[in-house]
Amino acid sequence: MILHTLGKLVGFTALASLLPSVLAQNSTCPTNSPASGSGKLKLVGVNISGFDFSCNIDGNCHSTGAWPPLTKYYGLDGAGQMQHFVKDDGFNTFRLPVSWQFLTNDVLTGTLDETNFAKYDDLVQACLDTGASCIVDVHNYARWNGAIIGQGGPSNDIFASLWSSIAKKYASNSKIIFGVMNEPHDVDINLWAQTVQAAVTAIRNAGATSQMILLPGNNFTSAATFISNGSAAALAKVKNPDGSITGLIFDVHKYLDFDNSGTNQECTTNNIDDAWAPLAQWLRCNGRQAFNTETGGGNVASCITFMCQQIAFQAQNSDVFLGYVGWAAGNFQPGSYVLGETPSGGGTSWMDTSLVESCMAPVSGSQLGSTGVN
Ligand SMILES: *[C@@H]1O[C@H](CO)[C@@H](O)[C@H](O)[C@H]1NC(C)=O
Ligand SMILES: *[C@@H]1O[C@H](CO)[C@@H](O)[C@H](O)[C@H]1NC(C)=O
Ligand SMILES: *[C@@H]1O[C@H](CO)[C@@H](O)[C@H](O)[C@H]1NC(C)=O
Ligand SMILES: CC(=O)N[C@H]1CO[C@H](CO)[C@@H](O)[C@@H]1O
């Protein structure tokens, strides 16, 4: 709703002024302005959190700390939330975080624990039942219990076998998106790119030949430092087994609070000048795309202002940005979490948080493109 209003009030000229001059500065880039026909995002959604509960940024997670966001397992009604988000708000994507430890029942292996996996799959199936795209997100910060994968911790082979196991389960489902890893940080990016390559090769060789795979960079997949800290250059070398880059999408996160931590209620930036504009230019010049799989803010006026601006910019650059996924609903009790997007109510009368209602829910026709799932 706000987006419609924004468009009407500020008009094209003011909206165009949101485009920073940096877009016109790289003279070596052949196409440094938004492609014509852009303006609609393809994938817009919400994180449905719960199976990732207990995960710390050092990759310590405990299978017993996971809390399935499904009433069947005494969680909140994640299935009902997703149905509401699709039917009432027009969302078409959900990101379903889960820890490696839950998937293997705390055993350091790539072999799934079938009992635990069946519970996670219940959430995946509830997502698929809505018709949405569903991101399987391994939420381990590039680590297993403090040690970095391929850099002193588990070998790339073990991690690749985990992805092979997951990919075999969903190889034939085109609505599944493989999120290789949530928020790597403090890794050697060139070694990390080899780990990501191992996962990509395993996913493709497991038979999931056509789905999207999300490639995560360093510094908590920060969109702002994706280029400057070397993630872009390192991850650009990751290829499918056939040498192509088809379906290989960069995974980037960005919050709108002053320290990009996603822990503060107030928003201080729309991230355009320091993150989205330079990233759009790099992606366009290098023939790549990115997906903003975590963003969010408090339910306050500053966030509504800045989030609407961020989304408008992403939509203007939808040739290189697939969309965004808000953090987070699922097992966060309504009203209890600063970045909560869990709607209150249930059944046929859900009520969204103000940020979701004012900005993040796709407004019919304004964000979902003709290629969107809905
Ligand atoms: C300028 O464009 C080239 C591609 O033509 C790209 O490789 C380079 O990274 C761009 N530079 C900046 C600063 O974005
Ligand atoms: C990324 O940042 C870290 C921490 O400042 C630094 O050690 C590393 O050299 C940087 N990597 C690149 C490729 O810029
Ligand atoms: C990581 O991102 C934060 C902001 O979120 C920034 O302050 C810091 O300089 C970045 N580190 C690197 C190594 O780029
Ligand atoms: C910024 C933010 O909310 N990040 C969250 C990402 O997911 C983990 C685990 O689910 C949370 O602990 C973080 O706070």
Side-chain angles (χ1 to χ4, degrees), residues 9 33 47 53 68 71 89 113 126 187 251 301 334:
L9 287 181
S33 60
N47 278 276
F53 279 19
T71 53
D89 295 336
D113 178 90
V187 297
D251 194 351

Side-chain angles (χ1 to χ4, degrees), residues 86-343:
V86 169
K87 285 189 198 136
D88 301 331
D89 295 336
F91 286 108
N92 66 358
T93 307
F94 298 102
R95 183 167 177 261
L96 311 174
V98 64
S99 69
W100 184 352
Q101 286 88 341
F102 182 78
L103 291 171
T104 60
N105 204 27
D106 295 318
V107 180
L108 179 48
T109 173
T111 304
L112 299 172
D113 178 90
E114 292 297 338
T115 305
N116 283 4
F117 182 76
K119 292 181 182 174
Y120 179 68
D121 186 56
D122 280 340
L123 184 67
V124 174
Q125 297 304 326
C127 175
L128 292 170
D129 282 350
T130 70
S133 293
C134 308
I135 305 172
V136 176
D137 160 46
V138 176
H139 214 81
N140 277 69
Y141 303 88
R143 287 157 173 81
W144 172 281
N145 295 354
I148 301 172
I149 302 162
Q151 303 181 32
S155 68
N156 288 347
D157 283 352
I158 295 179
F159 183 60
S161 75
L162 173 74
W163 270 113
S164 178
S165 303
I166 297 170
K168 277 179 190 145
K169 298 283 188 182
Y170 300 120
S172 61
N173 197 311
S174 64
K175 291 293 179 72
I176 296 288
I177 297 172
F178 300 105
V180 167
M181 179 56 66
N182 179 68
E183 300 193 346
H185 62 92
D186 302 289
V187 297
D188 176 314
I189 191 61
N190 293 309
L191 289 176
W192 175 249
Q194 293 175 19
T195 304
V196 174
Q197 178 66 71
V200 167
T201 302
I203 291 167
R204 295 303 189 215
N205 288 346
T209 54
S210 59
Q211 292 99 328
M212 273 183 217
I213 304 178
L214 306 180
L215 315 182
N218 210 348
N219 204 12
F220 301 89
T221 54
S222 163
T225 59
F226 186 73
I227 302 165
S228 65
N229 199 227
S231 295
L235 292 176
K237 297 182 185 138
V238 174
K239 300 276 159 60
N240 292 310
D242 66 2
S244 74
I245 53 164
T246 310
L248 303 185
I249 307 294
F250 300 122
D251 194 351
V252 289
H253 291 180
K254 198 78 186 73
Y255 287 87
L256 296 86
D257 48 357
F258 76 96
D259 59 357
N260 188 38
S261 67
T263 57
N264 302 285
Q265 186 174 44
E266 294 293 337
C267 294
T268 61
T269 174
N270 58 25
N271 294 314
I272 294 173
D273 285 348
D274 67 340
W276 302 119
L279 181 58
Q281 183 189 17
W282 186 93
L283 293 166
R284 204 169 279 127
C285 290
N286 288 276
R288 302 301 296 257
Q289 292 180 311
F291 191 0
N292 178 201
T293 65
E294 277 190 31
T295 189
N299 290 294
V300 291
S302 61
C303 293
I304 291 173
T305 299
F306 287 126
M307 180 66 79
C308 286
Q309 291 173 359
Q310 171 173 286
I311 291 171
F313 185 84
Q314 291 177 337
Q316 283 175 320
N317 292 272
S318 61
D319 55 320
V320 289
F321 297 132
L322 293 182
Y324 61 88
V325 186
W327 186 268
N331 264 344
F332 296 112
Q333 297 285 347
S336 71
Y337 171 48
V338 65
L339 261 60
E341 296 183 11
T342 308

